[in-house]
C-alpha cells in the first residue's frame, strides 16, 4: 500500500505516520510490526518502509529508496466544466490515473450546477480525497492538486498567461469538425486541456478562449459527454506527447 508523506515525517531513516493514514494502516489494513509499506515523499522518491510500531502513530525504518517513474513527462492540467451528480468524482479519479497534475473545475454559461460556498468547500474536500485515493491506487509519485472552482472569466485569464508562457492549451468543441490534435504541431512540456459542462460552450466562449491563445480541436464525429471528453482528451495528449504511447 502506498502513502504520501511530508518531508518532516522522514527523519534519519525513520518514517512517522499519524492521523487518518495511521488509522488506515492499523485498523483497516491491520498491518503489524515487520510488514512493508511504500511511502512517497514530496520529491517523488519512493521509500520501502518496514513497520516497527502501529497504533495512533505508525513508525517504520526505510529499507530502500528509489526514484519513482510513474509520472508523465508532461505537466497535464485538466480544466473541467462543473458537472452534475457524481460525474466530477469519476472525472477526477480517472484524470489522476491518466497522469493529470492538476484538475481545475470551472463554471460557464451552460453550467447547470450551482454551489454555495459551504457546498463548494465540502465538494473540494471530497474531490481531494478522491484524488488522493486514486493516486495511491495507480502508483503516482506526485499528489495531484484539485483547485477551487473558477469562473469562466478566470479560466480565460489563466489561459492567456499560459499561452504567453509557451504552454499548449487545447479546448474541445463539438462544433469544430476539422481540426484534430494530430494537426497541431508542437513539442510541449505543459498541456492544458479544457472541457465544457453538460451544455458545452457558447460560440462566444470559444471565441474568448481562441483569442486567449487556446487551440480549438475536435474529438471526432460523435458528441461526447462531459465526463468522457476530458478523459479522451487527456488520453490522446498522453499518447501523442506523453508516456501512453
Amino acid at each position: 500500500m502506498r502513502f504520501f508523506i511530508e518531508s518532516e515525517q522522514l527523519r534519519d531513516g525513520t518514517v512517522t505516520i499519524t492521523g487518518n493514514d495511521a488509522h488506515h494502516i492499523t485498523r483497516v489494513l491491520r498491518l503489524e510490526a515487520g510488514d512493508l509499506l511504500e511511502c512517497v515523499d514530496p520529491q517523488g522518491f519512493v521509500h520501502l518502509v518496514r513497520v516497527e510500531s502501529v497504533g495512533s502513530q505508525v513508525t517504520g525504518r526505510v529499507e530502500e529508496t528509489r526514484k519513482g517513474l510513474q509520472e508523465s513527462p508532461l505537466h497535464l492540467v485538466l480544466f473541467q466544466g462543473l458537472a452534475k451528480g457524481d460525474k466530477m468524482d469519476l472525472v477526477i479519479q480517472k484524470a489522476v490515473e491518466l497522469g493529470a497534475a492538476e484538475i481545475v473545475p470551472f463554471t460557464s454559461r451552460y453550467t447547470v450546477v450551482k454551489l454555495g460556498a459551504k457546498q463548494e468547500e465540502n465538494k473540494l474536500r471530497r474531490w481531494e480525497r478522491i484524488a488522493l485515493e486514486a493516486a495511491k491506487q495507480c502508483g503516482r509519485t506526485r499528489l495531484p492538486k484539485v483547485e477551487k472552482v473558477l469562473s469562466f472569466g478566470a479560466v480565460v485569464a489563466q489561459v492567456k498567461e499560459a499561452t504567453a508562457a509557451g504552454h499548449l492549451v487545447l479546448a474541445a468543441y463539438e462544433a469544430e469538425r476539422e481540426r484534430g490534435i494530430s494537426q497541431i504541431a508542437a513539442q510541449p512540456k505543459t498541456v492544458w486541456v479544457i472541457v465544457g459542462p453538460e451544455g458545452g460552450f457558447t460560440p462566444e466562449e470559444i471565441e474568448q478562449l481562441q483569442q486567449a491563445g487556446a487551440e480549438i480541436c475536435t474529438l471526432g464525429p460523435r458528441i461526447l459527454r462531459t465526463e468522457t471528453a476530458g478523459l479522451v482528451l487527456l488520453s490522446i495528449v498522453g499518447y501523442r506527447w506523453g508516456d501512453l504511447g
Side-chain angles (χ1 to χ4, degrees):
M1 186 64 182
R2 178 164 291 196
F3 295 89
F4 290 87
I5 60 172
E6 300 297 332
S7 298
E8 58 268 22
Q9 293 177 255
L10 175 58
R11 287 284 182 270
D12 300 322
T14 296
V15 172
T16 303
I17 300 173
T18 58
N20 291 334
D21 282 345
H23 179 270
H24 189 71
I25 291 168
T26 303
R27 301 296 183 187
V28 181
L29 298 178
R30 297 187 181 279
L31 297 188
E32 299 176 345
D35 288 334
L36 290 169
L37 53 83
E38 289 182 338
C39 293
V40 182
D41 68 24
Q43 286 71 47
F45 287 97
V46 181
H47 306 280
L48 187 64
V49 176
R50 181 78 64 181
V51 175
E52 293 185 332
S53 66
V54 295
S56 58
Q57 176 174 285
V58 175
T59 61
R61 291 291 297 175
V62 175
E63 292 197 347
E64 178 187 335
T65 297
R66 64 182 186 275
K67 182 64 178 176
L69 301 174
Q70 290 82 9
E71 293 303 308
S72 172
L74 295 173
H75 185 82
L76 293 169
V77 183
L78 170 62
F79 282 77
Q80 172 66 52
L82 204 57
K84 295 185 295 184
D86 59 1
K87 293 177 183 178
M88 289 296 297
D89 295 0
L90 173 70
V91 168
I92 289 167
Q93 181 188 67
K94 301 308 177 187
V96 170
E97 292 178 25
L98 290 168
E102 299 175 57
I103 299 102
V104 186
F106 68 90
T107 59
S108 56
R109 172 72 180 276
Y110 292 145
T111 300
V112 176
V113 182
K114 305 297 181 186
L115 298 177
K118 188 62 178 178
Q119 286 178 300
E120 184 177 326
E121 183 182 332
N122 291 339
K123 286 282 188 182
L124 183 57
R125 283 202 297 265
R126 175 178 174 79
W127 295 335
E128 287 173 339
R129 288 196 302 271
I130 290 169
L132 173 61
E133 292 306 316
K136 290 179 180 179
Q137 181 275 322
C138 69
R140 293 285 299 269
T141 54
R142 298 283 186 185
L143 184 57
K145 296 179 182 177
V146 183
E147 304 289 355
K148 294 181 179 180
V149 179
L150 296 182
S151 66
F152 184 74
V155 172
V156 172
Q158 291 197 12
V159 168
K160 189 173 183 179
E161 292 180 4
T163 56
H167 304 328
L168 176 62
V169 180
L170 302 171
Y173 185 41
E174 65 273 13
E176 173 59 51
R177 298 298 185 185
E178 297 182 2
R179 186 168 173 76
I181 293 174
S182 63
Q183 297 171 263
I184 296 172
Q187 292 297 324
K189 294 183 178 179
T190 296
V191 182
W192 290 13
V193 299
I194 307 176
V195 173
E198 281 92 349
F201 289 118
T202 67
E204 293 76 18
E205 287 170 336
I206 287 296
E207 184 176 355
Q208 288 180 61
L209 289 172
Q210 201 163 23
Q211 289 178 351
E215 299 276 1
I216 310 304
C217 63
T218 177
L219 294 179
R222 291 167 296 280
I223 295 176
L224 304 180
R225 291 179 181 272
T226 185
E227 68 270 27
T228 306
L231 305 181
V232 169
L233 193 46
L234 284 174
S235 299
I236 295 172
V237 167
Y239 179 80
R240 177 148 190 217
W241 293 296
D243 58 358
L244 299 183

